[in-house]
């Protein structure tokens, strides 16, 4: 298939440029250093105080916020110029002169760049397993593998988002500003945005407190980094309500919100949060393709 050829070329180009090798080294360091510190420094204290062995769940609970910050940056850096960059350089016309449709190009770019982020992430997690096997930390293999796959999927989500923006942008610069802007919004200002929505509703409507909490949580979970962290929290809390409250940051506010959300409504269940998270795999590429399909190159 034509999209397979585009994806293969994209991935092979990354191999030749040593991008995959460099990213693998980054993720190995990013995962193994905290794993070693946790095992050597925290594991001994935990065992001495509780008489129990520390598990890898403690590692992934700490790592989730690190993953939510760094993986999107790397995915965006890999994919923001995937389409717009080739339009700027003129190679897109050459690519489309071959038996590739615009849809083939978009799908191939997504798959190729996704492979470039997924492989190094999984290599990093595999390296951290070696640390746990050599230190007194109990490996909860099922949770660990699930978290590794979820982390890799977060990378794919942001590749899809970046490629969608790149496809809709006319220039490389537009694609860069669009992707940087959405990343800054998601990581720095989304919580304030959700609070602003609630404040407006509180001021101009008679909506009750419990409904306002529902609106705030739903708005927060529309952010893929927040839905990722909420889904990840299930692995070490085994409690859907506790996992949803993780996006509020805990503390007194978390307790108050917990009372308002208990019992947890069906639309905040794990499957529904997963659907909201997975929607980012589809919506940005489709919207980007609709613009790219009509674009005059």
């Amino acid at each position: 298939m034509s999209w397979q050829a585009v994806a293969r070329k994209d991935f092979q180009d990354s191999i030749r440029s040593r991008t995959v090798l460099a990213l693998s080294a980054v993720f190995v360091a990013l995962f193994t250093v905290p794993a070693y510190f946790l095992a050597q420094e925290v594991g001994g204290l935990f065992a001495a105080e509780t008489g129990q062995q520390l598990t890898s769940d403690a590692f992934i609970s700490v790592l989730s916020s690190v993953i939510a910050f760094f993986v999107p940056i790397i995915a965006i850096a890999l994919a923001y110029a995937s389409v717009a960059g080739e339009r700027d350089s003129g190679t897109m016309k050459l690519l489309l002169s071959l038996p590739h449709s615009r849809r083939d190009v978009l799908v191939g770019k997504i798959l190729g760049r996704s492979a470039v982020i997924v492989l190094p992430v999984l290599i990093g997690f595999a390296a951290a397993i070696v640390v746990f096997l050599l230190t007194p930390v109990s490996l909860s293999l099922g949770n660990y593998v699930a978290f590794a796959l979820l982390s890799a999927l977060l990378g794919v989500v942001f590749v899809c988002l970046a490629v969608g923006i790149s496809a809709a942008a006319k220039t490389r610069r537009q694609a860069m500003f669009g992707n940087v802007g959405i990343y800054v919004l998601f990581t720095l200002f989304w919580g304030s945005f959700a609070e602003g929505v609630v404040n407006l509703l509180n001021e101009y409507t008679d909506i009750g407190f419990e409904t306002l909490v529902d609106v705030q949580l739903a708005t927060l979970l529309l952010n893929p980094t927040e839905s990722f962290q909420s889904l990840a929290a299930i692995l070490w809390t085994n409690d859907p309500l506790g996992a949803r409250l993780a996006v509020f940051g805990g503390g007194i506010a978390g307790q108050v919100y917990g009372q308002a959300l208990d019992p947890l409504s069906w639309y905040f269940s794990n499957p529904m949060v997963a659907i909201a998270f997975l929607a980012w795999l589809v919506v940005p590429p489709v919207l980007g393709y609709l613009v790219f399909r009509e674009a005059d190159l």
Side-chain angles (χ1 to χ4, degrees), residues 196-255:
V197 171
V198 169
N199 289 336
L200 285 173
L201 290 174
N202 186 43
E203 184 173 354
Y204 294 107
T205 69
D206 295 325
I207 295 177
F209 175 72
E210 292 185 356
T211 304
L212 289 175
V213 173
D214 280 359
V215 170
Q216 186 170 359
L217 179 56
T219 304
L220 287 171
L221 291 174
L222 289 176
N223 181 338
T225 61
E226 297 288 1
S227 54
F228 159 77
Q229 292 192 79
S230 188
L231 290 170
I234 283 292
L235 299 174
W236 58 83
T237 64
N238 294 314
D239 174 23
L241 176 59
R244 299 301 90 84
L245 292 176
V247 303
F248 291 111
I252 297 176
Q255 295 176 10

Side-chain angles (χ1 to χ4, degrees), residues 145-200:
V145 170
F147 182 73
L149 294 175
L150 187 61
S151 300
L153 188 58
L154 178 66
V156 177
V157 162
F158 272 87
V159 165
C160 289
L161 179 60
V163 172
I165 293 174
S166 187
K170 294 181 179 179
T171 65
R172 185 189 186 102
R173 178 174 294 184
Q174 284 184 4
M176 180 182 68
F177 282 125
N179 276 288
V180 170
I182 200 72
Y183 173 79
V184 170
L185 174 63
F186 281 155
T187 56
L188 298 181
F189 298 115
W190 195 259
S192 299
F193 171 71
E195 289 180 4
V197 171
V198 169
N199 289 336
L200 285 173

